[in-house]
Amino acid sequence: MLRVGVTGGIGSGKSTVSRRLAELGAHVVDADLVAREVVEPGEPTLQRIRERFGDEVMRADGTLDRAALAAVVFPDPEALGALDAITGPAIAQRVAQQRAAAPDDAVSVYDMPLLVERGLWVHEHLAVVVEADVETRVRRLVEQRGLGEDDARHRIAAQATDAQRRAACDVVLDNSGTPEDLVGPVDALWHSRLLPYAVNLASGSRARRPERASECVVEPRADWEARAERVVARMAAALATTGVVTEVSHIGSTSVPGLLAKDVIDVQVGVRQLAEADREDVRAAFLDAGYVFSHGNHSDTPHPQGADAAGWTKRFLGGCDPGNQVHVHVREHGSAGWRFALLFRDWLRHEPAERESYAAEKRRLLALHETTSDYVEAKEPWFEGAWHRANAWAERTGWQPR
Ligand code: ADP
């Protein structure tokens, strides 16, 4: 099942987007709705709220007096924390139940205003933010939802900023136009990314890079670092409970600012022991996060030439997202291959002349090779020399893997 978080500031149009996704076939869980359900009469959560905040937050008919509760908790951070501690787990449990009920090949959308504030985006395969500028949102909230202007501004100020949401979200939907303007981009997202991503996940297929080298290798992209940061954060979260991971790092050419590269984010997952990467729970965690093991791709070329191949074995996985190609190299922490991946990145980041020489080599090979596979293979010999120069640099500078 593909998990998609949809978020946005209040009045941005988040619910409007979720409704369209539901029309297209998504299974939508609305956090606000669940938050209301868990405090309905008869719910244990309502009883706990009554015990903590007293009868003054209850109406005579036994329902929650939301306005009275808001008046108690909003001015008092401690009370707000106590309320969150009561409702949070109940909401999370019900959301999980509702999402688990969707079929395996479903697109499960979680419509959640606080997806970023609560750090919940890391558990979604994709996070989508709906944006509209503050004045537009205030106008919509006042005119269409009947909020007072001060109230609307106050609520907006209490939430994350657009920049904070953007950093955590993979897709930005602009809703500054009419509701009709929003339909096209939502439909395009559904067909070009969400559906193929869900199909890949359900069938255990990774997204493939373009096989034409000239399409695959691109000039440096401004979003590589942010894309990688999200991949790293999600991977670390997904694997945390396995206890085998030492660190997750962005490596490869996309981690070197200014370098042209295949439009594929490379990530290295350090593990205590490589054999642990084959454990069933570890594979299941990778797959749940959207990464599929590749058989028959278990080693890198050892350096220097003739070195013991044992230090250069790895496991390799590919991501299922067709909109963000990711390659994952699982290597044993401290192994020669693990160390070189980190050294190579840091060396190229710090040595402009080496970066230029690598870029020149890439351009030369791109002119010679049509397919991405041939191009990748042709790059190999350059790495032997690079290994020696990078190690000389490490010795000169005292570089250590972090
Ligand atoms: P959110 O769920 O992010 O708080 P909603 O989807 O409920 O936002 O949208 C807020 C209000 O603005 C709703 O009344 C909705 O019908 C309206 N709205 C949403 N998108 C637009 C738009 N593009 N133009 C005008 N009104 C809109």
Side-chain angles (χ1 to χ4, degrees):
M1 172 196 304
L2 179 71
R3 298 184 295 273
V4 180
V6 174
T7 194
I10 179 169
S12 61
K14 183 175 47 59
S15 310
T16 308
V17 167
S18 296
R19 266 197 302 281
R20 179 63 192 161
L21 289 170
E23 285 169 7
L24 291 165
H27 180 272
V28 179
V29 175
D30 178 338
D32 286 340
L33 206 63
V34 173
R36 282 196 291 274
E37 285 169 10
V38 299
V39 294
E40 276 170 7
E43 292 285 343
T45 304
L46 183 60
Q47 185 52 33
R48 276 186 219 118
I49 290 173
R50 185 177 200 153
E51 282 161 16
R52 172 65 174 75
F53 297 99
D55 284 342
E56 65 260 35
V57 302
M58 302 297 294
R59 291 209 188 88
D61 63 359
T63 59
L64 182 65
D65 186 340
R66 298 171 162 281
L69 182 62
V72 174
V73 298
F74 282 123
D76 177 356
E78 203 185 311
L80 188 59
L83 177 63
D84 275 344
I86 294 171
T87 56
I91 295 171
Q93 191 187 15
R94 190 162 307 202
V95 166
Q97 272 168 1
Q98 291 188 4
R99 298 186 87 177
D104 271 356
D105 61 351
V107 175
S108 167
V109 167
Y110 186 28
D111 177 337
M112 173 50 164
L114 302 180
L115 193 73
V116 174
E117 287 88 336
R118 296 277 158 94
L120 296 172
W121 65 272
V122 295
H123 304 300
E124 306 296 318
H125 294 110
L126 268 185
V128 176
V129 60
V130 186
E131 282 188 0
D133 65 66
V134 170
E135 293 311 314
T136 306
R137 289 158 58 194
V138 169
R139 201 175 58 242
R140 287 178 189 161
L141 290 171
V142 171
E143 289 172 5
Q144 301 189 40
R145 289 234 209 120
L147 258 63
E149 181 173 337
D150 284 350
D151 187 16
R153 289 191 191 280
H154 199 76
R155 291 189 195 207
I156 287 171
Q159 295 186 326
T161 62
D162 283 349
Q164 286 166 329
R165 272 189 287 262
R166 265 190 188 221
C169 289
D170 309 274
V171 177
V172 178
L173 289 173
D174 173 29
N175 185 28
S176 50
T178 68
E180 293 71 39
D181 292 338
L182 193 54
V183 173
V186 175
D187 288 15
L189 171 67
W190 175 260
H191 291 290
S192 71
R193 193 157 183 188
L194 304 188
L195 267 192
Y197 195 166
V199 167
N200 282 346
L201 267 179
S203 63
S205 321
R206 55 193 172 99
R208 296 287 172 162
R209 67 188 182 202
E211 232 341 84
R212 185 175 275 278
S214 58
E215 278 168 32
C216 188
V217 180
V218 298
E219 292 303 316
R221 295 214 162 147
D223 67 350
W224 276 341
E225 195 182 334
R227 269 162 59 186
E229 278 175 11
R230 289 189 292 267
V231 169
V232 165
R234 286 188 171 115
M235 189 102 51
L239 296 165
T241 55
T242 67
V244 304
V245 171
T246 52
E247 81 295 309
V248 183
S249 317
H250 182 200
I251 58 160
S253 292
T254 59
S255 68
V256 180
L259 190 55
L260 77 161
K262 297 195 296 296
D263 189 14
V264 175
I265 303 294
D266 283 283
V267 164
Q268 172 162 278
V269 175
V271 289
R272 295 179 312 187
Q273 288 181 357
L274 193 55
E276 289 178 321
D278 299 327
R279 254 170 40 190
E280 210 161 303
D281 64 314
V282 176
R283 287 205 180 196
F286 270 119
L287 189 59
D288 184 65
Y291 298 93
V292 177
F293 262 88
S294 157
H295 305 282
N297 189 352
H298 277 359
S299 65
D300 296 305
T301 307
H303 299 292
Q305 216 170 28
D308 184 1
W312 296 82
T313 52
K314 67 175 178 183
R315 298 292 179 266
F316 179 82
L317 302 93
C320 297
D321 181 359
N324 183 23
Q325 298 250 329
V326 179
H327 287 171
V328 183
H329 311 260
V330 183
R331 298 190 177 103
E332 189 163 300
H333 185 97
S335 69
W338 171 88
R339 179 180 176 279
F340 185 49
L342 299 173
L343 168 59
F344 184 71
R345 174 196 69 191
D346 292 350
W347 171 62
L348 289 182
R349 280 178 177 174
H350 284 93
E351 294 291 292
E354 291 291 357
R355 192 163 63 232
E356 284 313 310
S357 121
Y358 187 29
E361 175 67 358
K362 287 183 176 205
R363 290 188 206 284
R364 185 181 76 82
L365 295 173
L366 275 176
L368 294 176
H369 300 281
E370 242 176 67
T371 71
T372 307
S373 311
D374 287 347
Y375 160 78
V376 169
E377 200 182 311
K379 273 197 306 150
E380 274 298 314
W382 185 85
F383 279 86
E384 176 67 11
W387 185 89
H388 288 283
R389 296 197 301 284
N391 275 287
W393 174 82
E395 215 156 283
R396 261 200 327 273
T397 60
W399 177 87
Q400 289 292 332
R402 272 185 298 120

